[in-house]
Amino acid sequence: MAHRVLIPTPLRPYTGQQDAVELEGGTVGEILSALTTRYADLRRHLYADDGKLRHFVNVYVNDDDIRYLEREATALKSGDVVSIVPSVAGGAPVSESAVAPELTNAEVQRYSRHLILPEVGPDGQRRLKAGRVLCVGAGGLGSPAALYLAAAGVGTIGIIDFDAVDASNLQRQILHSTPDVGRSKLQSARERLSALNPEVRIETYEAALTSANALGLFREYDVILDGTDNFATRYLVNDACVLLGKPNAYGSIFRFEGQASVFATKGGPCYRCLYPEPPPPGLVPSCAEGGVLGVLPGVIGTIQATESIKLLLGAGTTLAGRLLLYDAWKMKFRELKLRRDPECPVCGDHPTVRELIDYDQFCGVPKPTAAAAPAGALPPELETTVEDLKALRASGRPFFLLDVREPQEFQICRIPDSTLIPLGQLPARLSEVPADAPEIIVHCKSGVRSAKAVRLLREHGITARNLKGGILAWIDRVDPTLPKY
Amino acid sequence: MGTEVPAAAGVRATAITAKAGEAIRIHGAADFPDECCGALIAVDGIIVEAHPLKNTTSGGAARRFRIGPDGYRAAEARAREAGGTLAGFYHSHPNEPARPSPYDLEHAWPNLTYVIISVNGGVPGAITVWHLRDDRSGFDEGELTWHTGY
């Protein structure tokens, strides 16, 4: 039976420019065989070396792809028209490390629970093996994220951090163990991750992320996992991701609450669409000041790892366009819709930020080297030192020492003879401050909250001085027997 | 009237209008960091239109593009509608040079014009043109001759 076969433009030079030919055959396979017999040059373009149809060659019977019929065994009825329809595919050259590598037998065994998931499978696992994720920070969020990325077989994990392990990190930063206290976080991270999965390459960068190094570093990675603990670096990570078109698996934590999203995907919002401006410095306390439930970053960091893995797989539904809010105290998850802001200075329609800026300045962070006093600092006559306080106590002169920390902090350690009025209660309890005391000194943990208290007292006509460095300086320089927190 | 820059001897020349070239640049920048792709429509031997098509790859659009059979048919239809022919396809290489990759070669069709644009950090760069050798052993680079009069 003769059937009409439609020839696409690129193959017509082999059929004498005919756009259709009539061929005999009862099945699609027979027709194609007749076609490549008559026009032998067609064969190498339609069939791969293994004799199978190239996968970008689509064959249709009328309107149906033969892949959904009986493939080449599909029988033809009178009047059926066979069409050859190209798919056109290609792509950028992939660097050697990014060519999806084969899995070794040991890897097949290690990742077998991934491999039997149809959504991952061997192809997905190879993508993870070729994948490169940069963790910004090896702290609360970076720890669980890096551990799960390494366990999952993400081929290259980069970590940038410049801190040493402190005993107060161990409550949540599970990359580091008790014997690691005092060591570089990168060292303990590398050892822990390599022990978990020696197949994974760990790249470490002992540096602070800056506007000078961010673009060069991020360019080497597929996904950036933001585990930073301050606004300046968070905006830096965001802007660098947008400028390079790299997805940002974002997470942040405070006390009992966490957030996660995916920023800077194509067409999706960025961190600046959500928060165009940083909060005034000092308004949002850090985890060191406000505390954090240790297991909270475990939840948020593993969400960031999950999003990174889906981004590498190029599958699943990510948090792009959604902000996930988690309250560990109430055990509630909520979700907010996020939209790209067309007015966003970085990812909007008419971006004004086209290169990285000074993020410390943007966030109002004082430069430690600046000669001028940072904005908001108290004049020197409203400050005092722990040494002066020690001398004052020894002199026997009367003074009033006000502690504006929270009661639980007061329980941990206190300077003798201090009176506790938490900063938040101070406006309502001003009458408890003896305005006629010859000397009033205010302290908190590090001196930030007490500076606010000094200003507040001053507005009410009470002159007080701020203890520079707070109780931490007192412990360091006067009474090392007190516990530090 | 158009002005034409002649191609070097021995190199296959592909004529394209500045307008079509500009459309490729705009599409490449708009889809960055993903790869963009589209059809090249020729009238009287000159590529006069770059017709954007959907990148339907499932392999990560940052490094891959795919125009499925529906897209191909849409391209043929667009060429007929414009009174021209389907000359080939264009795609972008985000943050990579405008040279065909082994993957491009593996998936190439003969007798089509392949235009590649390099887009670096969202900024469109070099545009090059390539033709598959008949024995599929590689691509030969052609030369674009720009027509400004359209």
Side-chain angles (χ1 to χ4, degrees), chain A residues 161-166 169 173 183-186 206-207 229:
Chain A
D161 204 305
F162 57 89
D163 252 347
V165 180
D166 185 85
N169 299 152
Q173 302 184 12
R183 296 177 73 206
S184 137
K185 282 190 180 175
L186 292 180
E206 187 126 34
D229 58 357

Side-chain angles (χ1 to χ4, degrees), chain A residues 10 14 44 87-88 90-92 266, chain B residues 34-35 65 67 101 104 111 134:
Chain A
Y14 307 110
R44 66 177 168 278
S87 289
V88 181
K266 190 179 152 40
Chain B
D34 287 347
E35 291 199 11
F65 83 91
I67 296 163
S101 63
D104 286 332
N111 309 306
D134 204 42

Side-chain angles (χ1 to χ4, degrees), chain B residues 20 24 56 92 144:
Chain B
I24 293 171
T56 59
S92 62
L144 289 170

